[in-house]
Amino acid sequence: TISIHKWVAMKLVSIVEMVAAFHSVISTVKLHDLFYWNYLGEFAKKIFNECRDFLNLTPADIGLASI
């Protein structure tokens, strides 16, 4: 079995990775002058549908490429 301390540490690492990916992608959205609310909506849908492949949650990959 795994101790509670190791379990918490593993969960924290997972959360930190998700937050880092989120901030990175939001910065990319702003850099490309895309409307970030559209991106946030699509991003949230993917996350709530258990998508954990953060590398495929970029604006181009979820259909919000710049015009």
Side-chain angles (χ1 to χ4, degrees):
T1 65
I2 183 171
S3 75
I4 188 69
H5 298 291
K6 287 182 182 178
W7 181 83
V8 169
M10 287 179 358
K11 288 296 178 185
L12 286 175
V13 167
S14 176
I15 291 169
V16 168
E17 288 174 346
M18 186 174 75
V19 169
F22 179 78
H23 282 285
S24 174
V25 173
I26 291 298
S27 295
T28 301
V29 170
K30 288 180 179 179
L31 180 69
H32 292 287
D33 292 326
L34 297 172
F35 190 56
Y36 59 90
W37 284 115
N38 290 342
Y39 175 75
L40 286 175
E42 290 299 317
F43 184 85
K45 284 181 200 173
K46 298 281 186 177
I47 293 297
F48 290 129
N49 288 327
E50 299 296 322
C51 178
R52 295 294 183 251
D53 186 11
F54 303 120
L55 295 177
N56 288 320
L57 291 176
T58 63
D61 290 335
I62 63 171
L64 295 176
S66 59
I67 298 172

